[in-house]
Amino acid sequence: MTLVEWAEEVREALGLPDTEALDRKDVDLILDLAKDAAHSVARPAAPLTAYLLGIAVGRGAAPEETARMLAELARSRAPGGDEDLT
């Protein structure tokens, strides 16, 4: 099973409409953000950050822009990473 297939199964189980389906680009966006949070902050920050991204997007935030901002925030927390925050 691929992650896109898993996301589709979860979407269906949650009763979310087809318009909420994820494609590979969406999955990669979330995984990249989780990687940045896990490596720069702490491993438990990965699911927490992804969850908060979901809340923000559910409330109307732009997924790519918001994920980019959160990734930059996470990377800024890595040792020597403060200068990377723009």
Side-chain angles (χ1 to χ4, degrees), residues 48-77:
L48 178 60
T49 305
Y51 173 76
L52 293 170
L53 171 66
I55 290 173
V57 170
R59 293 183 177 173
E64 290 181 17
E65 180 181 323
T66 306
R68 186 173 21 261
M69 182 272 297
L70 292 174
E72 289 174 4
L73 180 64
R75 288 190 303 266
S76 77
R77 299 303 185 254

